[in-house]
Amino acid sequence: MHTVVAIKQVPDTSNVRINPETGTLIREGVPAIVNPYDAHAVELAVRLKEKFGGTVTVISMGPPKAAEALSECVEQGADRAILITDRKFSAADTLATSYVLARTIEALQAEGPVDLLLFGKQAIDGDTAQVGPGVATRLGVPLISYAVAVESFDPAARTAVVHRQTERGIEVLQTRLPALLTVEKDVAPVSRAPLPNLIRAARYTPETWTASAPVPFDPAKIGIKGSPTIVGKAYTPPPKKAGGQVSVAEKGAPAAVAEALAKIKAAGVGL
Ligand SMILES: Cc1cc2nc3c(=O)[nH]c(=O)nc-3n(C[C@H](O)[C@H](O)[C@H](O)COP(=O)(O)OP(=O)(O)OC[C@H]3O[C@@H](n4cnc5c(N)ncnc54)[C@H](O)[C@@H]3O)c2cc1C
């Protein structure tokens, strides 16, 4: 059984600051972490490995610094880690990112069968939730997004039953394998890394794949050349002002409602 997990290194803050000139995130001086949803995806992969055997490979497209995030995944129990890094990949949008990850997974499939692909529901910096579905579409595999539990997994019959969170509650879906799941944090709580893993991770160096080797990526499909998304303007929105308040206790409901309606109208909000 072989599971591939895509992880992204992200700034350890939801209070991201944008460089007004370049429109890109200010990452200097901001500690970086494994994207929280991805840490739960790695945990799920390791637990399935403990139950069914096999290996876990983690892949990440990012700057050289992202090797730290991959090492953390080896501490969690991943067997192999691949950093796909090259200046030619920078400023990629989700289309270009999904291309690079899909090509990388195809190269791993050329080495041997891949049974399961795990992605986080979304990255806490870009927040688009587009990369997982983009990769599933490129590879032509079934996609189950917002997965909260894997009820059953049968590598021999090549099927799995997965619970998916929706606005209307939990959907229970059966899928053929390989399939791509984007996961919520509920899918598997992250456990403390055992000492043998810490020792192994300290001695392990993630593989480095570039834009040309071992996989030749199409230069027109990577980085800014492969990204149709044009960032028109990026800025940190000013903090919202607190709204006005009307006390029902002081004024009584009818008067309070009337005053609130008058304030809303005065603010030009059409009712
Ligand atoms: C503030 C901000 C806004 C952005 N807005 C847009 C936008 O509107 N449109 C657009 O196309 N791009 C946008 N980007 C660029 C986008 O962040 C990158 O393309 C990024 O590589 C993937 O998108 P995401 O961060 O939204 O990831 P998501 O699609 O939210 O990530 C989902 C999952 O995909 C996997 N994944 C994502 N990135 C990687 C990676 N580099 N390596 C390995 N696995 C990965 C992880 O498992 C992750 O949990 C934005 C970036 C920032 C910082």
Side-chain angles (χ1 to χ4, degrees):
M1 171 117 147
H2 183 195
T3 302
V4 174
V5 188
I7 69 115
K8 187 182 182 187
Q9 185 182 49
V10 296
D12 182 10
T13 172
S14 50
N15 176 18
V16 288
R17 287 179 305 123
I18 304 267
N19 177 327
E21 262 102 59
T22 61
T24 56
L25 277 193
I26 297 173
R27 296 180 188 270
E28 292 68 38
V30 179
I33 54 171
V34 174
N35 182 47
Y37 296 97
D38 306 350
H40 292 270
V42 174
E43 187 73 28
L44 173 63
V46 171
R47 294 194 181 186
L48 288 170
K49 174 179 80 168
E50 284 159 1
K51 211 166 165 192
F52 300 101
T55 61
V56 175
T57 300
V58 281
I59 62 174
S60 189
M61 180 192 86
K65 188 175 160 48
E68 296 161 13
L70 288 167
S71 295
E72 277 179 49
C73 299
V74 175
E75 288 175 3
Q76 264 189 279
D79 305 284
R80 182 181 179 188
I82 301 171
L83 175 62
I84 315 139
T85 188
D86 198 308
R87 295 190 70 73
K88 295 192 184 93
F89 295 135
S90 63
D93 70 0
T94 56
L95 193 74
T97 302
S98 66
Y99 166 73
V100 169
L101 297 176
R103 284 290 290 115
T104 302
I105 292 165
E106 284 168 346
L108 292 171
Q109 287 174 319
E111 295 173 4
V114 171
D115 303 284
L116 185 63
L117 302 165
L118 296 178
F119 283 58
K121 163 181 100 166
Q122 64 192 79
I124 62 168
D125 58 350
D127 257 345
T128 64
Q130 291 171 6
V131 172
V135 171
T137 307
R138 287 179 185 277
L139 296 175
V141 299
L143 165 73
I144 298 181
S145 54
Y146 308 109
V148 288
V150 174
E151 178 187 310
S152 69
F153 193 83
D154 188 338
R158 307 200 57 65
T159 60
V161 174
V162 177
H163 294 201
R164 167 175 193 266
Q165 181 69 57
T166 75
E167 292 83 13
R168 295 179 307 281
I170 300 290
E171 268 178 3
V172 180
L173 302 166
Q174 175 161 335
T175 179
R176 64 178 164 82
L177 299 175
L180 191 149
L181 311 185
T182 76
V183 305
E184 293 273 10
K185 293 179 181 169
D186 328 50
V187 83
V190 175
S191 51
R192 182 188 290 280
L195 185 59
N197 288 12
L198 295 177
I199 295 168
R200 182 167 176 275
R203 295 187 183 131
Y204 180 88
T205 306
E207 296 167 37
T208 298
W209 292 17
T210 69
S212 51
V215 176
F217 294 95
D218 178 345
K221 294 186 177 164
I222 60 175
I224 201 141
K225 287 206 188 105
S227 301
T229 309
I230 296 148
V231 178
K233 187 174 169 210
Y235 60 95
T236 309
K240 279 208 175 66
K241 286 202 301 317
Q245 289 186 344
V246 182
S247 162
V248 174
E250 270 171 36
K251 310 218 165 166
V257 171
E259 186 177 327
L261 285 176
K263 281 179 184 268
I264 292 169
K265 274 198 190 120
V269 178
L271 294 172

